[in-house]
Amino acid sequence: PELLNRLDHIITFNPLDTSALAKIAALELGALAEHVRKEKNIALEIGVGIAEYIAKKSQNPNEGARLVKRTIAEEIEYPIASLIVSDKTKQGDVIGIKIIRNKLMINPEKDNL
């Protein structure tokens, strides 16, 4: 990681547009869903437009793709971890992630989305 941080300061990268950030976000969301499924046997149902939502919130020319991972952690991973720790979801459940009125909603009961 230290070497990568040094390279980031030396090498100039072109800023990523929203489309590129959305593709990165989709990959990261897929990896998160796979991890939660394997580790906790909980499925994530990621709604339409989530990757684009993350991309828009992560757009900063100085940060590149790093902000995508941080945004996913703050907006999705931490709330999901909270649901798991507080026993509001259990193995075999489905957690729905959807955008309602420009706000990200995470709901442990798929039927309520």
Side-chain angles (χ1 to χ4, degrees), residues 68-79:
V68 169
K69 201 164 193 134
R70 190 175 319 138
T71 303
I72 289 172
E74 291 172 358
E75 298 271 335
I76 297 173
E77 279 185 65
Y78 300 157

Side-chain angles (χ1 to χ4, degrees), residues 11 13-14 16 18 22 25 29 36 40 48 56 60-61 66 69 73 75-76 79-80 82 85 89 91 96-98:
I11 299 172
F13 294 96
N14 291 329
L16 297 171
T18 307
L29 289 166
V36 173
K40 297 295 180 185
V48 175
K56 286 176 186 170
N60 181 336
R66 278 179 256 139
K69 201 164 193 134
E75 298 271 335
I76 297 173
I80 288 172
S82 223
V85 170
T89 190
Q91 287 191 1
I97 304 167
K98 193 170 187 174

Side-chain angles (χ1 to χ4, degrees), residues 3-81:
L3 176 62
L4 292 176
N5 287 335
R6 289 181 187 184
L7 286 175
D8 281 350
H9 292 291
I10 296 170
I11 299 172
T12 304
F13 294 96
N14 291 329
L16 297 171
D17 63 6
T18 307
S19 174
L21 289 171
K23 289 176 186 174
I24 294 166
L27 290 172
E28 290 292 333
L29 289 166
L32 173 63
E34 182 66 18
H35 176 74
V36 173
R37 187 190 61 75
K38 280 184 177 178
E39 293 295 319
K40 297 295 180 185
N41 191 27
I42 295 172
L44 298 184
E45 188 174 90
I46 300 169
V48 175
I50 301 298
E52 291 78 11
Y53 173 89
I54 296 294
K56 286 176 186 170
K57 289 200 77 163
S58 303
Q59 208 156 22
N60 181 336
N62 298 327
E63 291 289 322
R66 278 179 256 139
L67 199 51
V68 169
K69 201 164 193 134
R70 190 175 319 138
T71 303
I72 289 172
E74 291 172 358
E75 298 271 335
I76 297 173
E77 279 185 65
Y78 300 157
I80 288 172

